Amino acid sequence: TIVASYAGRAAGRAAAVVIDPDTGELLASASYPWPLSPESATPAEHASDPLLDRARYGLYPPGSTFKLVTASAALRQHLDPDRTTSMCVRLPDGRVGASIAGWSRPIRDDVLDTHPHGTIDMHEGFVHSCNAYFAQLAVRLGSQPLLDAANRLGISLTPASDAAGRV
């Protein structure tokens, strides 16, 4: 019911997972709407993804988990976390986040964030789990420091230039 409640505030769909941080073992997962449930809006909605287990098969950006990688990369580049600031503003659609040059879609914070964070530093970025701050920091760093930081943490990534050439 918690996942269903959140889905009501987040475009009608939601997923949640619980992972053991020590082992990486999946302890629980939930997806909403449930396959073919009465809460699903229309038969047309069923036609596009009637049995999709969003917790396991949905495609989502890594979000807050990658904020630690981004912060690690920034610190290894000797950026001062108190002086490395970014803006988090109200977007034209009413959500909180930031528009980033060269990106067609804005970076949005959680749907429940109702107040822009303004000019924030790394500490405040973590306190508010601000997607806008960390996305702007990642762009400022560039791909190589992010790839290096992820690699040091045991996270394997494919650089965009490599992925673009694959089918």
Side-chain angles (χ1 to χ4, degrees):
T1 61
I2 293 171
V3 175
S5 172
Y6 187 81
R9 294 174 278 168
R13 295 187 169 113
V17 296
V18 179
I19 297 173
D20 183 322
D22 294 325
T23 66
E25 179 183 4
L26 177 65
L27 301 176
S29 70
S31 182
Y32 188 88
W34 320 120
L36 305 175
S37 70
E39 292 84 9
S40 295
T42 66
E45 185 176 284
H46 287 303
S48 64
D49 62 356
L51 301 175
L52 179 65
D53 180 348
R54 286 170 183 75
R56 292 192 300 161
Y57 303 111
L59 298 177
Y60 305 102
S64 295
T65 59
F66 210 75
K67 289 173 182 159
L68 295 170
V69 176
T70 306
S72 173
L75 294 173
R76 289 190 64 83
Q77 294 293 310
H78 306 289
L79 294 181
D80 182 342
D82 295 329
R83 294 178 189 224
T84 304
T85 61
S86 292
M87 287 297 297
C88 177
V89 300
R90 180 150 329 272
L91 298 167
D93 66 0
R95 294 277 301 271
V96 172
S99 294
I100 297 180
W103 293 83
S104 60
R105 294 175 53 193
I107 302 299
R108 294 185 177 119
D109 276 7
D110 189 279
V111 68
L112 300 178
D113 273 344
T114 58
H115 301 292
H117 305 122
T119 301
I120 61 173
D121 61 17
M122 188 180 292
H123 173 79
E124 288 297 310
F126 275 121
V127 167
H128 297 290
S129 190
C130 183
N131 297 338
Y133 174 81
F134 285 97
Q136 291 171 85
L137 180 58
V139 169
R140 186 177 303 150
L141 289 168
S143 61
Q144 197 57 54
L146 293 169
L147 290 167
D148 293 344
N151 187 49
R152 277 189 306 283
L153 294 168
I155 301 169
S156 178
L157 299 174
T158 302
S161 60
D162 290 349
R166 295 182 185 181
V167 178

